[in-house]
Structure formats: C-alpha cells, structure tokens
Amino acid sequence: MSQPHNVLAFLHTLEQLKRTKRTGWIDHGIRGPESISDHMHRMSVMAMLINDPSLDRNKQVTRLCIKMALVHDLAEAVVGDITPHAGVSKQDKYTRERNAMEGFQKLLDNTSMAQEITALWLEYEEASTPEALLVKDLDKFEMIVQAMEYETSDGKPLDGFFESTRGKFQHPDVKAWVEALYCSREERKRQETRQGEMLA
C-alpha cells in the first residue's frame, strides 16, 4: 500500500490537471477553455459508450479503456500540455512524460496500482493494443467535439483541428460518431450562412 502522505502528494500534483487549460484552445483565443481533466473525463465517458464485441469480451476490457483514458494525460500534471507546435521533439516529449510517470510510480511506493497506472500510460503511448488504438481515437474525437462546441460558443473557425484528424480514425464506432459530427457541423455552417444572408 502507498503511504498516505505519498498518496496526498500525488493527488495534489494531479490538481494541476484541473487547473491547466489545454494549450491548443489558449493558442486559438478560446475564452474559458477546458482543462486537461475536463478532456480526460469526457474521454472516459466515451469509452463507456463503445459497443464493440471484439473488445468487450468481458467488462474487464471496457474498464481497461476507461482507465487508460483517465491516465493517458497524467504526466501533463508535471510537464504541462505540450502540443506539436511547442518546439519540443516527439522524443523529448515522450522522455519528459515517461520520467513524470516513473516519478509517480516511485512516489506511490511502486505498488501494483502505481505500476498499473504506468503500464496503462505506456500501452497508450506505444499504441500497441486494440484498446490503446481505440483510446487514441477517443482522444482525437473528444478534441474535435470540443472544437465544434467552441466554434459555436466563440464564433471562431477551428478548421485546423478537424483537418489534423481527418482520415485518422480507425474504430468503427468512433468513425460513425465522427461522420455524425461532420454532418452536424456542416448543417450548423449552412444555418449560419442562411442567417447571414437574411441579415445582409
């Protein structure tokens, strides 16, 4: 069992995930952008909504995907939200994040639970299993859902988020959600165009 004071130190570190706003939204001038925790939470709920007999051999697999979604960005509590535009190489980002995760494992006294957290993070990073590939899809999908919501609330075009993920989804359930989102976004654009023409 992890020492109680070490658990508290870990939890206090994770508070940064609640306070740290996602860099991509800040860079695009979004007012009141979501936190890293907000993103991870909705991804975890999405994992609960997947209906895939090939993955859901038993409830253990569904739980694994939910857990993976919950831990995939934990290292950002230490290293921050490093985007592809931050001038940090993929290898350097990976090294920083892996060091953070290993630090968490050590802080939590290398218990089996701490090892599981690190193993789930590593499985996600390596995209080495069908479950990790699904959670990768959920990560991208949650981002474009949020992008559409910010387009609506802030009136800013966020096409880059959609273009950077287009054609990269693999899981059939997520692909269906993506297509529904694209249709909804196009319908919203048509409505905005009609409203603009009526006001002109």
Side-chain angles (χ1 to χ4, degrees):
M1 183 175 106
S2 302
Q3 292 298 313
H5 64 278
N6 289 344
V7 171
L8 283 175
F10 174 66
L11 295 176
H12 289 319
T13 302
L14 296 191
E15 184 206 10
Q16 291 305 311
L17 298 171
K18 297 169 74 173
R19 291 183 176 272
T20 305
K21 305 304 183 185
R22 301 250 289 160
T23 304
W25 309 130
I26 293 171
D27 290 348
H28 283 79
I30 299 299
R31 295 166 298 157
E34 67 171 343
S35 70
I36 298 167
S37 281
D38 294 331
H39 165 67
M40 292 163 62
H41 177 264
R42 184 154 59 176
M43 272 182 67
S44 302
V45 174
M46 288 175 177
M48 295 176 71
L49 300 176
I50 292 293
N51 182 24
D52 183 343
S54 70
L55 288 177
D56 196 13
R57 295 177 292 279
N58 55 56
K59 293 300 176 188
Q60 291 293 89
V61 177
T62 301
R63 286 191 201 102
L64 182 137
C65 291
I66 295 165
K67 287 180 178 182
M68 194 179 295
L70 283 169
V71 306
H72 83 285
D73 278 341
L74 282 190
E76 294 182 12
V78 175
V79 304
D81 184 16
I82 302 170
T83 68
H85 310 290
V88 176
S89 72
K90 284 186 178 181
Q91 183 58 48
D92 190 21
K93 178 180 185 287
Y94 173 81
T95 300
R96 291 182 196 185
E97 291 183 349
R98 180 154 190 171
N99 288 342
M101 295 305 294
E102 289 173 354
F104 289 153
Q105 186 172 323
K106 184 177 177 184
L107 176 64
L108 293 171
D109 304 303
N110 202 32
T111 60
S112 60
M113 288 79 75
Q115 291 172 23
E116 180 186 21
I117 289 170
T118 305
L120 285 166
W121 177 84
L122 191 59
E123 183 179 337
Y124 173 83
E125 282 296 310
E126 293 178 347
S128 57
T129 62
E131 293 80 9
L133 292 172
L134 167 58
V135 177
K136 291 269 185 186
D137 270 6
L138 296 177
D139 187 27
K140 294 186 289 282
F141 179 65
E142 200 287 327
M143 180 184 72
I144 62 172
V145 169
Q146 189 64 68
M148 182 173 157
E149 290 164 352
Y150 286 146
E151 284 184 330
T152 302
S153 64
D154 287 39
K156 291 179 183 260
L158 297 169
D159 297 323
F161 291 92
F162 294 91
E163 292 310 314
S164 70
T165 58
R166 192 174 298 277
K168 294 187 178 176
F169 296 95
Q170 299 179 38
H171 192 278
D173 283 13
V174 181
K175 281 182 169 179
W177 297 349
V178 169
E179 287 307 313
L181 182 72
Y182 289 163
C183 290
S184 178
R185 185 172 183 246
E186 288 306 313
E187 179 57 30
R188 192 202 75 228
K189 285 181 175 181
R190 283 193 292 273
Q191 289 177 356
E192 288 171 353
T193 300
R194 285 195 293 268
Q195 289 171 351
E197 289 169 351
M198 289 170 58
L199 294 171

